[in-house]
Amino acid sequence: MAPRFLGAPNGDLPMKPRIFSKLTLPLIAAVLTVASASAQDKKGTNLSDSAAISAAPTPAEQLVLGYRLADYARTLRDARAMIVAARMVDSITVKEGTDRGKLEGAGKGGGEARPISAAGLFAEAKQFANGDTDILAEIEKAQAESSRSAMRGAIRTVQFVPAQTTWTVNLAWRGGEPMVIGMRRDTATPVDLKIYDENGNLVCQDMSHNVTLYCRVNPIWSGAFSIQGINHGDVGTGIAMVTN
């Protein structure tokens, strides 16, 4: 038996629902049409400079900053700077990535990537302390206090990349959410970081040849991206790629 509506004789719909129905159906059709058009409009470069996309640092960015501070501390053999770097690295929980991408190039041979850890950085800080008891005490205290307030994690994927070889990892990303990519090599060989969208457009690159490379991309729509670590050197290197 069909449901009857109060206030409507013989079960007919009252006037207001009829008007609402007539107004709603064209509106829904219009919304679906716009949504369909937006979903298919993936031409051009998938890169936005809109301030609407969050500029707040992600765990991956904080991990990259810790890596860069460690590079600085190592250059100056600064024990206290290394303590800070170790604490920053230790404050981010890291999940190991499973998709290690593909390697293309003329390089041959293999090796093992050696991503840095907080424990390794604390050990370096002790070396740089040169027996200074005050600094050694600071290191011990920092190690005891570390990891007590770890942030939600970043994803780290490691790969050994032979000489003259490009490492490519494909990622799908949601539009409107910042994508942060960091790469850190563990040898002196020069490496470039490049990111392309699904249409083959270069959306970010870091060709500084620093030990730690960094890119932040603000996608307009949800789509695929190709992340490349390009080893231009004559020797292979391990690369750790981190993302949020």
Side-chain angles (χ1 to χ4, degrees):
M1 185 178 202
R4 297 173 64 87
F5 294 87
L6 294 177
N10 301 322
D12 292 337
L13 288 172
M15 182 61 70
K16 287 186 178 180
R18 282 180 176 171
I19 294 174
F20 179 75
S21 178
K22 290 179 180 179
L23 292 174
T24 303
L25 291 177
L27 180 60
I28 292 175
V31 170
L32 290 176
T33 300
V34 172
S36 177
S38 298
Q40 296 175 1
D41 185 15
K42 293 188 176 182
K43 299 178 181 179
T45 303
N46 191 5
L47 179 65
S48 171
D49 58 1
S50 173
I53 296 180
S54 173
T58 69
E61 279 174 312
Q62 297 197 45
L63 189 59
V64 168
L65 183 58
Y67 287 168
R68 285 186 164 179
L69 181 56
D71 299 336
Y72 165 84
R74 188 174 296 109
T75 300
L76 299 182
R77 298 186 64 81
D78 187 324
R80 287 193 168 93
M82 189 63 82
I83 293 172
V84 177
R87 295 190 68 166
M88 291 178 66
V89 170
D90 204 38
S91 70
I92 307 297
T93 58
V94 174
K95 178 181 178 181
E96 297 298 333
T98 56
D99 182 0
R100 300 182 64 186
K102 63 179 180 179
L103 298 171
E104 296 178 301
K108 296 182 180 180
E112 185 177 353
R114 301 184 301 276
I116 63 174
S117 65
L121 297 182
F122 279 126
E124 286 189 75
K126 290 179 181 178
Q127 293 177 1
F128 301 156
N130 291 320
D132 187 310
T133 56
D134 290 338
I135 297 178
L136 290 173
E138 290 180 33
I139 296 170
E140 293 297 331
K141 181 180 179 181
Q143 282 187 289
E145 294 177 347
S146 64
S147 298
R148 290 184 180 176
S149 58
M151 296 178 58
R152 63 184 180 86
I155 298 174
R156 179 179 63 192
T157 306
V158 297
Q159 177 67 274
F160 183 84
V161 182
Q164 304 296 324
T165 297
T166 296
W167 175 34
T168 302
V169 178
N170 295 318
L171 294 178
W173 210 263
R174 188 188 302 273
E177 294 184 2
M179 176 174 66
V180 171
I181 302 293
M183 279 190 177
R184 188 182 186 281
R185 55 180 169 82
D186 56 30
T187 69
T189 192
V191 172
D192 288 339
L193 165 61
K194 293 188 177 184
I195 303 177
Y196 295 88
D197 68 10
E198 62 196 283
N199 296 323
N201 299 304
L202 180 67
V203 295
C204 188
Q205 64 180 356
D206 186 341
M207 302 174 67
S208 64
H209 291 173
N210 290 328
V211 176
T212 302
L213 307 174
Y214 165 82
C215 267
R216 181 185 178 107
V217 177
N218 295 328
I220 300 172
W221 65 81
S222 298
F225 291 86
S226 292
I227 319 300
Q228 292 186 350
I230 308 168
N231 181 0
H232 296 286
D234 295 325
V235 296
T237 183
I239 297 178
M241 180 184 79
V242 297
T243 186
N244 51 307

